[in-house]
Amino acid sequence: MKPSEQFDIHSLEQLFSIVSKSNDFSRISLEIGQTSLTVSFYPSMSDTGEIHDHLLPCLHKIDEEIQRLEELKKWLPFDEITCETVPNQIANKLQQGYVVLQLQEARNEALLINISHETMGHRTSNDTENEFSVIGPKTGFVENLSINLHLLRQQIAIPQLIFEELTIGSLSKTTIVVAYIEGLTNPEIVQTMKNRLKGVDMDIVYDSSFLEQVISDNTNTPFPLFLTTERIDRIAYVISSGQIALFTSGSPYVLAGPSTFMDFFISPEDYYLNWITGSFFRVIRLMSVFFSLFASPIYIAVLTFHYEMIPSRLLQPIMMSGLHVPFSPVIEVVFLETTIELLREAGARLPAKIGQTLGIVGGIVIGEASVQASLTSNILLIIVALSALASFTTPIFKMANTIRVLRFPLILFSALLGGLGIAIGFTLLLAHLLRLKSLDTPYMVPFFPFRKGNLSDSLIRASYQFTTNRILYLNPLRTKRYQPDTKKEDIEHDD
Amino acid sequence: MSYQASLSKTVSPYLLWFLLHKSQTGISMLNFQHAITPGAGHDAWISVLVTGLSIHVVVLLIFYILKHASKGDIISLHVQLFGKWLGSLLNGAFLLYLLMLICFQLISYSQVIQTLVFPEMKAWRIALVFLLMFVYIVRGGFRVITGITFCFVLIPSLLIVTLIFPLQYAEWRNFLPFLNHTLPEFTYSASRSVPLYMGVELLLIYFPYIRDNAKSAKWAHIGVLHTYVLYLIIACTTFAFYNQGEIKHEIWPTLSLSKIISFTFLERFDYFYIFNWVFAITPPCCIVLWGCTRILRSSTSLSAKTSLWIVVIVVFIIVAWPYNAQMMQVVEDCIRYAGSILLYGYIPLLAVCVFISNRLQIWRAERAS
């Protein structure tokens, strides 16, 4: 496949003739002794205060003859100064906010000084906005890459934590960082990830989610194949268990892979609570997934085809609530489910203050009024509202969306074939999940292929004594996380 | 040393347990009690057990045969032993047998659906939905089929717990007097319980896809054990719940057992049983379809996709035909005879052929040296 056309710079003359067309480019000429020195930079990208307070005064102070650019280095109080001759490199650095110094004699050479203004235009608050937890740290990643790397290094403080940089995007030149632990993460996985990234050819990388779709193993699936998170503790956990994290400059969301289906239903809070409550909430979350997927299909199947399944005492309330409804259960369900999706979508697009009003209008007014107007039955309203609520318990937003979308094909199946349709829909769903792979590792691990060593932290979160294994399927170079039997000498045992 | 497919396509040896168990337990589990009682009556469970034990021998023979196949499966073995023409002919016969198996599962299940749930629904609609689903699963490859098999052993196993409800009304004296039937009666029941164990011969095809397959015999025997223990549980529950006169009138005793179960929020639990059998028949059908595709692919130049669609269309045409009770009886008898001949006639014969050809080779080698 032919790669897309690149915007290459072939010589420095070409570079400066292009950039000087842009109004936010600035060029200053200085006389130093016999020679003249040009200072080129983008005021919009560089720290102009720094340039005027430190760089220019330093250059004026120079009182000896300068023959070569290298000699300038000792006069300048900056730590990142490099000499560069490759036009493309110089162009890239200039765009990042470096200041380019050139001597009149040596036009093909440039001295690059890092005075870029990295934090300019970024938000300063780094609270987690979408993945909230009551217990645990509240800080999340932000749009700035170096802050994100700093935050992660605070959590994993060993030199083996490796950040490998790549640049993707012919227009955006976005920096992508692959993070893993040397001597722990399986090198094959790192290699697979790097190969995938090398194959990417895009113009602008807007967000890590964009990248996720490009590098994912299967694009024809509603399921997210990489974990997307803004939580630092989550990424630290993921890396420590043998997975890789992928930072994208300009995105507060960090990708992690290879991910499994269960990863998306795990909340960091499970680990902050003790194992009994943590497991309980995890089971509740998994049950709510099933409820959310199958509640309305079962309602349709039972009321359309298998009403014998309803006991006679329950039949009366169900029949009474649906007595005046002129529609078949299928139309009723589709109508209500679509309404809920409308509310959710409108709520997501509206500013937070109006969103509140919308909740009241949508939830109370529409729901109440549609029952009053005999358009839906009360019981269905309860079921649909509950299953919408249940779908929001999934901690990762992308997976929650997937579950809501999957409800519609299941509704279709149950409307056509009743209980048989639900069974077939479930089988197809399972087959689809079994076919999926994330970075060449199966999605349904540890259930299939079955891995006993990781079961203690899947459907339930067992006590820390039993969750000592890293993700065994990924073949990490060190499989044990920690030694579980810490001696608690002060505890007296009654024998 | 037995042949093994490339590592990325194989599955772990312990999965042979689930593959073997699940390829045996399909649609026959619904009505075998009805079929076996005319012989040994309340003692028929012994026939089920004995037939199950005999399957261990069949598994041993299959392992012996496959150890000497150049590509580890029956397709290559036929060509290797009997030459290209006769071998291909035998492969064709095996393909026909597999087609019979899958058609039987689908026809029987669509009869259950038509009788108990959707009297109006035509067989072709049920067949179409099922076959499209099978195509999706089989296109995923052997690993996906194995995954489905694994999950669908575990999920329906949860239903065993519900047998507690009929067991509350169990009449254990139904089993007395113990062993008061003659040998021909036991033999009749045993011959009727052969369809319960059919599916073990699929091992002849998927064997190369098991990792370390030469050492995996343990798991195959566990799978067989699992199968007849399950049948014994169901058979004994049925015999304890129904007396012999009642079983004659129950077409699907396993399903009617579940009619006793009801909860305050659920009146008819038997629907769960009926729809659960989607999970029960999917894995054997998928393994069979996959096997058919393998045979077609290796004996002709068709691609995997084309051969799968050819098989599916053939199956669809057979299954979409409306069958009545007499025709079903004929189909059942055909399947039973074919299965019995294969398990107890052809596989031992094949083992003898392999033995002779081995001896010949050794003898030739000795004479050459």
Coordinates of all heavy atoms in Angstrom, one line a residue, chain B residues 123-165:
Chain B
A123 N -40.6 -25.5 9.6 CA -39.2 -26.1 9.9 C -38.1 -25.3 9.2 O -37.1 -25.1 9.7 CB -39.2 -27.5 9.5
W124 N -38.4 -24.8 8.0 CA -37.4 -24.1 7.3 C -36.9 -22.8 7.9 O -35.8 -22.5 7.9 CB -37.7 -23.8 5.8 CG -38.8 -22.8 5.6 CD1 -40.2 -23.1 5.5 CD2 -38.7 -21.4 5.5 NE1 -40.9 -21.9 5.3 CE2 -40.0 -20.9 5.3 CE3 -37.6 -20.5 5.6 CZ2 -40.2 -19.5 5.2 CZ3 -37.8 -19.2 5.5 CH2 -39.1 -18.7 5.3
R125 N -37.9 -22.2 8.7 CA -37.5 -21.0 9.4 C -36.5 -21.3 10.5 O -35.5 -20.6 10.7 CB -38.7 -20.3 9.9 CG -39.2 -19.2 9.0 CD -40.5 -18.5 9.5 NE -40.1 -17.6 10.6 CZ -41.1 -17.0 11.3 NH1 -42.4 -17.2 11.1 NH2 -40.8 -16.2 12.3
I126 N -36.9 -22.3 11.3 CA -36.0 -22.7 12.4 C -34.6 -23.1 11.8 O -33.6 -22.7 12.3 CB -36.6 -23.9 13.2 CG1 -38.0 -23.4 13.7 CG2 -35.7 -24.3 14.3 CD1 -38.8 -24.5 14.3
A127 N -34.7 -23.9 10.7 CA -33.4 -24.4 10.2 C -32.6 -23.2 9.7 O -31.3 -23.2 9.9 CB -33.7 -25.3 9.0
L128 N -33.2 -22.3 9.0 CA -32.5 -21.1 8.5 C -31.7 -20.4 9.6 O -30.5 -20.1 9.5 CB -33.4 -20.2 7.8 CG -32.8 -19.0 7.0 CD1 -32.0 -19.5 5.8 CD2 -33.8 -18.0 6.6
V129 N -32.5 -20.0 10.7 CA -31.9 -19.3 11.8 C -30.7 -20.1 12.4 O -29.6 -19.5 12.6 CB -32.9 -19.0 12.9 CG1 -32.3 -18.4 14.1 CG2 -34.0 -18.1 12.3
F130 N -30.9 -21.4 12.6 CA -29.9 -22.1 13.2 C -28.6 -22.2 12.3 O -27.5 -22.1 12.8 CB -30.4 -23.6 13.5 CG -30.9 -23.7 14.9 CD1 -32.3 -23.6 15.1 CD2 -30.1 -23.9 16.0 CE1 -32.8 -23.7 16.4 CE2 -30.6 -23.9 17.3 CZ -32.0 -23.8 17.5
L131 N -28.9 -22.5 11.0 CA -27.7 -22.7 10.1 C -26.9 -21.4 10.0 O -25.7 -21.5 9.9 CB -28.2 -23.2 8.8 CG -28.6 -24.7 8.8 CD1 -29.3 -25.1 7.6 CD2 -27.4 -25.6 9.1
L132 N -27.6 -20.3 9.9 CA -26.9 -19.0 9.8 C -26.0 -18.8 11.0 O -24.9 -18.4 10.9 CB -27.8 -17.8 9.6 CG -28.5 -17.8 8.2 CD1 -29.4 -16.6 8.1 CD2 -27.5 -17.7 7.1
M133 N -26.6 -19.2 12.2 CA -25.8 -19.0 13.4 C -24.6 -20.0 13.4 O -23.5 -19.6 13.7 CB -26.7 -19.4 14.6 CG -26.0 -19.3 15.9 SD -27.2 -19.5 17.2 CE -27.3 -21.3 17.3
F134 N -24.8 -21.2 12.9 CA -23.7 -22.2 12.9 C -22.6 -21.6 11.9 O -21.4 -21.8 12.2 CB -24.2 -23.5 12.3 CG -25.1 -24.2 13.3 CD1 -25.9 -25.2 12.8 CD2 -25.2 -23.9 14.6 CE1 -26.8 -25.9 13.7 CE2 -26.1 -24.5 15.5 CZ -26.9 -25.5 15.0
V135 N -23.0 -21.1 10.8 CA -22.0 -20.6 9.8 C -21.2 -19.5 10.5 O -19.9 -19.5 10.4 CB -22.7 -20.0 8.6 CG1 -21.7 -19.2 7.8 CG2 -23.3 -21.1 7.8
Y136 N -21.8 -18.6 11.3 CA -21.0 -17.6 12.0 C -20.0 -18.2 12.9 O -18.9 -17.8 13.0 CB -22.0 -16.6 12.7 CG -21.2 -15.5 13.4 CD1 -20.7 -14.5 12.6 CD2 -21.0 -15.5 14.7 CE1 -20.0 -13.4 13.1 CE2 -20.3 -14.5 15.3 CZ -19.8 -13.4 14.5 OH -19.0 -12.4 15.0
I137 N -20.5 -19.2 13.6 CA -19.5 -19.8 14.6 C -18.4 -20.6 13.9 O -17.2 -20.4 14.2 CB -20.3 -20.8 15.6 CG1 -21.3 -20.0 16.4 CG2 -19.4 -21.5 16.5 CD1 -22.3 -20.8 17.2
V138 N -18.8 -21.4 12.9 CA -17.8 -22.2 12.2 C -16.8 -21.4 11.5 O -15.6 -21.7 11.5 CB -18.5 -23.2 11.3 CG1 -17.4 -24.0 10.5 CG2 -19.3 -24.2 12.1
R139 N -17.2 -20.2 10.9 CA -16.3 -19.3 10.3 C -15.2 -18.8 11.2 O -14.1 -18.4 10.8 CB -17.0 -18.1 9.6 CG -17.9 -18.5 8.5 CD -17.1 -18.8 7.2 NE -16.3 -17.7 6.7 CZ -15.1 -17.8 6.2 NH1 -14.6 -19.0 6.0 NH2 -14.5 -16.8 5.7
G140 N -15.5 -18.8 12.5 CA -14.5 -18.4 13.5 C -13.3 -19.4 13.7 O -12.3 -19.0 14.3
G141 N -13.5 -20.6 13.2 CA -12.4 -21.6 13.3 C -12.6 -22.5 14.5 O -13.6 -22.4 15.2
F142 N -11.7 -23.4 14.6 CA -11.9 -24.5 15.6 C -11.8 -24.0 17.0 O -12.4 -24.5 17.9 CB -10.8 -25.6 15.3 CG -11.0 -26.8 16.2 CD1 -12.1 -27.6 16.0 CD2 -10.1 -27.1 17.2 CE1 -12.4 -28.7 16.8 CE2 -10.4 -28.3 17.9 CZ -11.5 -29.0 17.7
R143 N -11.0 -22.9 17.2 CA -10.8 -22.4 18.6 C -12.1 -21.8 19.0 O -12.5 -22.0 20.2 CB -9.7 -21.4 18.6 CG -8.4 -22.0 18.5 CD -7.3 -20.9 18.5 NE -7.2 -20.2 19.7 CZ -6.2 -20.3 20.5 NH1 -5.2 -21.1 20.1 NH2 -6.1 -19.7 21.7
V144 N -12.9 -21.1 18.2 CA -14.1 -20.5 18.5 C -15.1 -21.6 18.8 O -15.9 -21.6 19.8 CB -14.6 -19.6 17.5 CG1 -16.0 -19.1 17.8 CG2 -13.7 -18.4 17.3
I145 N -15.1 -22.7 18.0 CA -16.1 -23.8 18.2 C -15.8 -24.4 19.6 O -16.7 -24.7 20.4 CB -15.9 -24.9 17.1 CG1 -16.3 -24.3 15.8 CG2 -16.7 -26.1 17.4 CD1 -16.0 -25.2 14.6
T146 N -14.5 -24.6 19.9 CA -14.1 -25.1 21.2 C -14.6 -24.2 22.3 O -15.1 -24.7 23.3 CB -12.6 -25.3 21.3 OG1 -12.2 -25.9 20.0 CG2 -12.2 -26.2 22.4
G147 N -14.4 -22.9 22.1 CA -14.9 -22.0 23.1 C -16.4 -22.1 23.4 O -16.8 -22.2 24.5
I148 N -17.1 -22.2 22.3 CA -18.6 -22.3 22.4 C -18.9 -23.6 23.2 O -19.7 -23.7 24.1 CB -19.2 -22.3 21.0 CG1 -19.3 -20.9 20.5 CG2 -20.6 -22.9 21.0 CD1 -20.4 -20.1 21.0
T149 N -18.2 -24.7 22.8 CA -18.4 -26.0 23.4 C -18.1 -25.9 24.9 O -18.9 -26.4 25.7 CB -17.4 -27.0 22.8 OG1 -17.5 -26.9 21.4 CG2 -17.8 -28.4 23.3
F150 N -17.0 -25.3 25.3 CA -16.6 -25.2 26.7 C -17.7 -24.4 27.5 O -18.2 -24.9 28.5 CB -15.3 -24.4 26.8 CG -14.8 -24.2 28.1 CD1 -14.3 -25.2 28.9 CD2 -14.9 -22.9 28.7 CE1 -13.8 -25.1 30.1 CE2 -14.4 -22.7 30.0 CZ -13.9 -23.8 30.7
C151 N -18.2 -23.3 26.9 CA -19.2 -22.5 27.6 C -20.5 -23.3 27.7 O -21.2 -23.2 28.7 CB -19.4 -21.2 26.9 SG -18.0 -20.1 26.9
F152 N -20.8 -24.0 26.6 CA -22.1 -24.6 26.6 C -22.1 -26.0 27.3 O -23.1 -26.7 27.3 CB -22.6 -24.7 25.2 CG -23.1 -23.4 24.7 CD1 -23.5 -23.2 23.3 CD2 -23.3 -22.3 25.5 CE1 -23.9 -22.0 22.9 CE2 -23.7 -21.1 25.1 CZ -24.0 -20.9 23.8
V153 N -21.0 -26.4 27.8 CA -21.0 -27.5 28.8 C -21.4 -26.9 30.1 O -22.2 -27.5 30.9 CB -19.7 -28.3 28.8 CG1 -19.6 -29.2 30.0 CG2 -19.4 -29.0 27.5
L154 N -20.8 -25.8 30.4 CA -20.9 -25.2 31.8 C -22.3 -24.6 32.0 O -22.9 -24.9 33.0 CB -19.9 -24.1 32.0 CG -18.4 -24.6 31.9 CD1 -17.5 -23.4 32.2 CD2 -18.2 -25.7 32.9
I155 N -22.9 -23.9 31.0 CA -24.1 -23.2 31.2 C -25.3 -24.2 31.4 O -26.0 -24.1 32.4 CB -24.4 -22.2 30.1 CG1 -23.4 -21.1 30.1 CG2 -25.8 -21.6 30.2 CD1 -23.4 -20.2 29.0
P156 N -25.5 -25.2 30.5 CA -26.6 -26.1 30.7 C -26.4 -27.0 32.0 O -27.4 -27.5 32.5 CB -26.7 -27.0 29.5 CG -26.0 -26.2 28.5 CD -24.9 -25.5 29.2
S157 N -25.2 -27.1 32.4 CA -24.9 -27.9 33.6 C -25.6 -27.3 34.8 O -25.9 -28.1 35.8 CB -23.4 -28.1 33.9 OG -22.8 -28.8 32.9
L158 N -25.9 -26.0 34.8 CA -26.6 -25.4 35.9 C -28.0 -26.0 36.1 O -28.5 -26.0 37.2 CB -26.7 -23.9 35.7 CG -25.3 -23.2 35.6 CD1 -25.5 -21.7 35.3 CD2 -24.6 -23.3 36.9
L159 N -28.5 -26.5 35.0 CA -29.9 -27.0 35.0 C -30.0 -28.3 35.8 O -31.1 -28.7 36.2 CB -30.5 -27.2 33.6 CG -31.0 -26.0 32.9 CD1 -31.6 -26.4 31.6 CD2 -32.0 -25.2 33.8
I160 N -28.9 -29.0 36.0 CA -28.9 -30.2 36.7 C -29.4 -30.0 38.1 O -30.1 -30.8 38.7 CB -27.5 -30.9 36.8 CG1 -27.1 -31.3 35.3 CG2 -27.4 -32.1 37.6 CD1 -25.7 -31.8 35.2
V161 N -29.1 -28.8 38.7 CA -29.5 -28.5 40.0 C -31.1 -28.5 40.1 O -31.6 -29.0 41.1 CB -29.0 -27.1 40.4 CG1 -29.5 -26.7 41.8 CG2 -27.5 -27.0 40.3
T162 N -31.7 -28.2 39.0 CA -33.2 -28.1 39.1 C -33.8 -29.5 39.2 O -35.0 -29.6 39.4 CB -33.8 -27.4 37.9 OG1 -33.4 -28.1 36.7 CG2 -33.3 -26.0 37.8
L163 N -33.0 -30.5 39.0 CA -33.6 -31.9 39.1 C -34.0 -32.2 40.5 O -34.7 -33.2 40.8 CB -32.6 -32.9 38.6 CG -32.3 -33.0 37.1 CD1 -31.2 -34.0 36.8 CD2 -33.6 -33.3 36.4
I164 N -33.6 -31.3 41.4 CA -34.0 -31.5 42.8 C -35.5 -31.4 42.9 O -36.1 -32.2 43.7 CB -33.3 -30.4 43.7 CG1 -31.8 -30.6 43.8 CG2 -34.0 -30.3 45.1 CD1 -31.1 -29.5 44.4
F165 N -36.2 -30.6 42.1 CA -37.6 -30.5 42.2 C -38.3 -31.8 41.9 O -39.1 -32.2 42.8 CB -38.1 -29.3 41.3 CG -37.7 -28.0 41.8 CD1 -36.5 -27.4 41.4 CD2 -38.5 -27.3 42.7 CE1 -36.2 -26.2 41.9 CE2 -38.2 -26.0 43.1 CZ -37.0 -25.5 42.7

